[in-house]
């Protein structure tokens, strides 16, 4: 069986280009892992939500990059990716808001 032609780094670049075009600028790629069913090779590339204050924060989907052609052959639907990002942002905002309230209540942070 011939070895795959697409490297991990190439799969990341392919996925990153797709994300920039189809998802948005607050999502980046994570570290891919290879899958092999004995006939086909592919890379699973995580889509990771980013935040300027905390950097990469949560995996919100994946893209599957075919290991020979470099084509994206499957992935988490955009609607689910965006819903996951929204839920995560809301959770993060709520946690941050709670922390700020606690700091204000203890006098460690002025209003």
């Amino acid at each position: 069986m011939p070895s795959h032609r697409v490297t991990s780094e190439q799969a990341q670049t392919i996925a990153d280009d797709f994300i920039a075009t189809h998802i948005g600028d607050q999502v980046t790629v994570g570290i891919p892992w290879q899958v092999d069913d004995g006939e086909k090779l592919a890379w699973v590339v995580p889509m990771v939500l980013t935040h300027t204050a905390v950097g990469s924060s949560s995996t919100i989907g994946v893209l599957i990059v075919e290991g020979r052609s470099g084509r994206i052959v499957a992935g988490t639907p955009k609607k689910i990716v965006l819903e996951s990002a929204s839920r995560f942002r809301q959770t993060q905002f709520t946690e941050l808001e709670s922390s700020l309230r606690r700091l204000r209540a203890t006098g460690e942070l002025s209003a």
Side-chain angles (χ1 to χ4, degrees):
M1 172 182 283
S3 64
H4 69 283
R5 293 182 301 194
V6 176
T7 66
S8 172
E9 293 81 13
Q10 290 169 326
Q12 283 181 302
T13 299
I14 292 163
D16 199 39
D17 290 346
F18 179 88
I19 289 168
T21 303
H22 299 285
I23 304 295
D25 63 351
Q26 291 187 333
V27 179
T28 190
V29 296
I31 298 170
W33 62 90
Q34 192 174 13
V35 293
D36 179 354
D37 70 359
E39 293 183 27
K40 295 181 182 178
L41 299 167
W43 291 98
V44 179
V45 185
M47 291 187 275
V48 181
L49 182 65
T50 61
H51 188 281
T52 54
V54 295
S56 298
S57 54
S58 178
T59 298
I60 56 173
V62 297
L63 292 170
I64 309 299
V65 178
E66 200 275 327
R68 291 187 181 92
S69 70
R71 289 183 312 114
I72 294 176
V73 294
T76 306
K78 181 177 181 177
K79 179 181 178 187
I80 293 173
V81 169
L82 297 177
E83 288 170 356
S84 296
S86 179
R87 265 193 318 275
F88 186 80
R89 283 189 195 106
Q90 185 58 43
T91 300
Q92 289 290 67
F93 179 77
T94 301
E95 290 173 5
L96 178 61
E97 194 174 59
S98 295
S99 295
L100 289 173
R101 271 194 236 120
R102 275 193 304 276
L103 289 171
R104 285 185 183 123
T106 62
E108 296 177 55
L109 181 69
S110 58

